[in-house]
Amino acid sequence: MSTGELADRTWQGLSIPAPGTFHLDPAHTRVGFVVRHLVVSKVRGAFREVSGEIVIADEPQDTTVTAVIKTDSIDTGVGDRDGHLRSGDFLEAEKYPTIGFRSTGVSGVSGDTFTLTGELTIKDVTRTVELAVEFGGIERSFGRELIGFSATTEIDREDFNVTWNKTLDGGGLMLGNKLKIEIEGEAIRQA
């Protein structure tokens, strides 16, 4: 069946694509993060290299997602800071070249939002996380079928052995432990 012949289907009131495999489009996918800095502000950054696969299952709740992020692709817009984040104080990019995610379940569907549960691995530490996902829909253009989505979650970086910090003169810490992850993505049907 060609892309033009694929039929959408409805699941719990949401229009979703027919079963198949979608690959993340790196040109239209952003994995960003926000962390509190110096107690009074926030620093934002992103990982510039991400790949992944979404396999839409016959039973939508059995859909799976995997993603791999290149650790050394971290970018906060400040070269010295990025180098520090790649170092042994933080991500140890040479020793741990990737961050991985593997979904384990879909639940809580309400309209175009749902919860995606999965295992996030940073520095060989794997923890269960829940992402709040908003499904952006299906589009067919330029001879391709693609889907869009947004997702957010919050993790404690110390749970992944990312513990470096510094005490400020006023007694607070230079960095917050909570890290908000913000994902905007598109994925293109492969099969």
Side-chain angles (χ1 to χ4, degrees):
M1 171 179 324
S2 72
T3 302
E5 298 169 348
L6 292 171
D8 298 346
R9 55 195 172 136
T10 302
W11 179 59
Q12 297 192 17
L14 181 63
S15 180
I16 63 171
T21 300
F22 291 76
H23 286 176
L24 291 181
D25 179 356
H28 297 100
T29 299
R30 181 180 190 278
V31 177
F33 60 88
V34 181
V35 66
R36 184 146 309 271
H37 181 251
L38 298 176
V39 184
V40 298
S41 66
K42 296 177 181 176
V43 169
R44 294 181 181 276
F47 291 92
R48 299 296 175 201
E49 293 182 47
V50 59
S51 60
E53 182 176 85
I54 301 168
V55 179
I56 307 291
D58 289 331
E59 296 296 329
Q61 68 274 13
D62 295 332
T63 291
T64 60
V65 177
T66 56
V68 175
I69 298 166
K70 296 284 183 114
T71 309
D72 67 359
S73 74
I74 195 166
D75 181 3
T76 65
V78 178
D80 288 345
R81 179 172 50 212
D82 296 343
H84 191 203
L85 291 171
R86 291 181 189 108
S87 79
D89 285 342
F90 288 94
L91 295 173
E92 297 182 75
E94 283 189 32
K95 185 175 181 180
Y96 305 105
T98 61
I99 295 169
F101 176 80
R102 181 182 68 80
S103 69
T104 56
V106 175
S107 63
V109 178
S110 177
D112 61 357
T113 62
F114 59 91
T115 300
L116 181 68
T117 304
E119 296 176 341
L120 178 64
T121 301
I122 301 173
K123 293 176 66 172
D124 281 349
V125 176
T126 301
R127 298 274 189 249
T128 298
V129 297
E130 289 187 346
L131 289 94
V133 180
E134 178 182 356
F135 182 64
I138 308 163
E139 180 61 43
R140 291 177 185 85
S141 60
F142 305 108
R144 308 180 302 177
E145 178 183 31
L146 58 92
I147 55 176
F149 60 91
S150 300
T152 60
T153 191
E154 188 173 273
I155 63 171
D156 185 324
R157 64 188 179 87
E158 289 190 344
D159 288 345
F160 297 91
N161 291 333
V162 181
T163 59
W164 184 91
N165 222 331
K166 191 172 192 177
T167 303
L168 302 172
D169 293 342
L173 295 175
M174 180 177 284
L175 298 174
N177 287 342
K178 298 297 181 189
L179 190 72
K180 183 174 184 183
I181 299 170
E182 303 171 325
I183 304 165
E184 296 291 334
E186 292 180 10
I188 302 167
R189 181 179 288 278
Q190 305 299 302

